[in-house]
Amino acid sequence: MTASCAGRAAFASPSSACSERMFGYVLPPLGELPQEEAERFRRAYCGLCHTLGRRYGPAARFILNYDFTFLAILLSEGGPRAVDSRRCFASPLKKREFLKPDSAMELAADESVILAYWQLRDGVADHDWLHGLKYRSLSAVLEPAYRKAAAARHGFDRRTREQLALLGALELEKCPSMDRAADAFAALLGAAAEELEDPVRRRVLGQLLYHLGRWVYLVDAADDLKKDAESGNYNPVALRFGLEDGAWTAESRHEFAQTLDHSIHMCATAFELWDFGEWQPLLERTLYTGLFHVGKAVLDGTFRRRRHAWDERKKDKD
């Protein structure tokens, strides 16, 4: 075993039952927002992109998504932020405004790298050598950034590895409890707030992120029902409701929808305990509208098609 292989082996983890696109469900309803709010979100999105590039190099920018931007917004103080503008790879001809990096943006960037890296490693564990090649290659590219982020945020990386190992153990035993599996991922995401100094804010955001993580895990499992039924992969939602062919019954669909709604309501309960300043309207629309839209689309079986269309529109705007 080479030194580099030994290093990767030390960081290896079992499959955690997370899908290869665990992230991508927290979508702000930008089309329903006033132009000012949509632009505010875009500046945060571009700001996180610049922060990733500055801290970890150009390759790290490719992990950028709306979920990580939402995390950066939650971790921010909520007050007015300094804005800069410059050209970039996505906009080489026209300068674009972006939020200048601060401690919250750097925390979000570091945690995003850690989450993205372990998602790629999970893809390696979930596939044979050939089909896992793209995940192996991408994780190798991201590994230097991951090591730097893990050194900066040792506590969050440790908690991430612990919770993913727990998810892997639940998968190995084919645990039929979707609550135990969802709780493991929820605790992982809730840990993203542990470095905040204010104890009240830390508790509020920890609870909000916990219930958001639970919702993300469950909606992702629901989105993968048919794929997992075909491949035989572990899916706690399928086991909980006995959905061998990946198709909902009317009763199971209704019960699961209530479970998703409960997680959103718990997010909202935590959200109402804190003043998020200028981000309040955007966060409200995302939690009270965006998540419900996504959950309904997943249950209707239309989300993958809509997400593809969303991604294409985003590319056009970029």
Side-chain angles (χ1 to χ4, degrees), residues 18 33 36 52 60 62 72 78 83-84 117 119 126 179 219 241 243 251 254 275 297 302:
C18 299
L33 289 172
E36 180 183 0
L52 284 166
F62 290 98
V83 175
D84 199 352
Y117 176 79
Q119 186 182 23
D126 273 348
D179 289 329
V219 82
F241 293 106
L243 308 177
E251 182 180 357
H254 176 71
D275 180 4
T302 62

Side-chain angles (χ1 to χ4, degrees), residues 37-85:
E37 297 302 325
E39 277 298 305
R40 197 190 312 278
F41 181 82
R42 190 197 58 73
R43 286 194 294 268
Y45 181 85
C46 292
L48 181 58
C49 183
H50 282 288
T51 304
L52 284 166
R54 183 175 61 84
R55 289 174 75 79
Y56 298 108
R61 293 174 182 252
F62 290 98
I63 72 169
L64 181 69
N65 60 34
Y66 284 173
D67 303 62
F68 293 155
T69 305
F70 190 77
L71 175 63
I73 289 170
L74 284 175
L75 294 174
S76 68
E77 295 290 343
R81 296 276 301 279
V83 175
D84 199 352
S85 65

Side-chain angles (χ1 to χ4, degrees), residues 230-259:
E230 293 171 358
S231 65
N233 286 346
Y234 172 68
N235 190 308
V237 174
L239 293 175
R240 163 65 178 80
F241 293 106
L243 308 177
E244 295 182 1
D245 59 355
W248 294 103
T249 64
E251 182 180 357
S252 62
R253 186 185 189 281
H254 176 71
E255 184 176 342
F256 185 75
Q258 289 184 315
T259 298

Side-chain angles (χ1 to χ4, degrees), residues 165-226:
L166 175 57
L167 277 169
L170 294 173
E171 177 181 5
L172 288 174
E173 67 180 69
K174 299 293 183 183
C175 176
S177 171
M178 67 179 189
D179 289 329
R180 288 180 64 191
D183 175 76
F185 186 78
L188 182 164
L189 199 56
E194 288 183 358
E195 288 198 26
L196 298 178
E197 294 183 2
D198 187 307
V200 176
R201 183 165 175 256
R202 182 169 63 243
R203 181 171 177 79
V204 168
L205 283 184
Q207 284 297 302
L208 194 162
L209 288 166
Y210 173 90
H211 291 290
L212 183 63
R214 186 178 188 278
W215 180 87
V216 166
Y217 184 88
L218 291 175
V219 82
D220 175 70
D223 198 24
D224 285 346
L225 277 174
K226 289 191 178 296

Side-chain angles (χ1 to χ4, degrees), residues 272-285:
E272 295 295 341
L273 296 175
W274 193 260
D275 180 4
F276 289 89
E278 66 180 8
W279 297 110
Q280 196 86 8
L282 172 69
L283 294 174
E284 283 180 352
R285 289 293 186 94

